[in-house]
Amino acid sequence: MELLKQRILQDGHATEDDVLKVDSFLNHQMDIALLNEIGKEFRRRFEGEPVTKILTIEASGIGIAAIAAQHFGNVPVVFAKKTKSRNLDGALYTAQVKSFTKGIDYEIQVSQKFIGPDDCVLVLDDFLAKGQALKGLLKIVRESGAKLAGCGIVIEKGFQDGGKLLRESGVRVESLAIVSSISGGKVTFAE
Ligand code: 5GP
């Protein structure tokens, strides 16, 4: 997605530890017009999929998913929670996730009330690095008995192996920008 790539080149910052910082438009301050174009592009790529729910993970996935949902007929957005909360009652789907950016393990949780066998789920997230967050979300979709439409990612870091491993396992992964390198502070794209 050209608009997104240009924005990454303009405002993204590569850190020495393989993290691409995009907090001026995606991870902290959010550019809503850009998120709207991202939502449209996800819709174009998943055209024809009978999506009934979008599943994402807090925090950065929520804004992306909420705006994308408007291009999928306002389907509900469910976000996996990273911390236990008194608001979360009843039976839960859970999965262990290793955080790429924080270097810790945590458990993600989704109430069983909100995803079930009648759903067709589109999973969305901001970044794909080693694939840990997506793997956790996919485990939850599997356990729910829902059909998986696929995964939509805003920025995939193609120099880490998450995307490759997920695609090899048969999961449809659509990434709007695939970064092939951020070494020396210079961002380059795969295509
Ligand atoms: P994974 O689980 O695929 O290893 O990492 C994906 C998760 O880690 C995403 O949900 C995202 O929040 C975070 N993440 C991984 N790499 C980056 C990065 O380079 N920049 C930012 N901003 N977040 C990242």
Side-chain angles (χ1 to χ4, degrees), residues 29-87:
Q29 173 171 262
M30 295 186 289
D31 180 332
I32 301 305
L34 178 66
L35 289 193
N36 196 41
E37 293 305 315
I38 286 170
K40 266 191 222 166
E41 179 63 12
F42 281 137
R43 173 67 208 210
R44 194 183 68 75
R45 295 198 186 201
F46 289 97
E47 189 71 61
E49 290 290 343
V51 174
T52 61
K53 296 264 163 98
I54 294 178
L55 176 65
T56 188
I57 182 165
E58 63 180 356
S60 295
I62 297 175
I64 295 161
I67 291 180
Q70 298 177 64
H71 297 282
F72 286 86
N74 288 317
V75 294
V77 171
V78 180
F79 64 91
K81 298 199 178 212
K82 292 178 177 169
T83 48
K84 288 211 158 53
S85 143
R86 277 194 224 168
N87 288 333

Side-chain angles (χ1 to χ4, degrees), residues 109-130:
Q109 314 175 25
V110 170
S111 168
Q112 294 189 4
K113 282 189 290 205
F114 300 129
I115 300 182
D118 295 335
D119 284 312
C120 175
V121 176
L122 173 64
V123 176
L124 296 183
D125 202 7
D126 58 344
F127 271 88
L128 171 57
K130 296 187 173 173

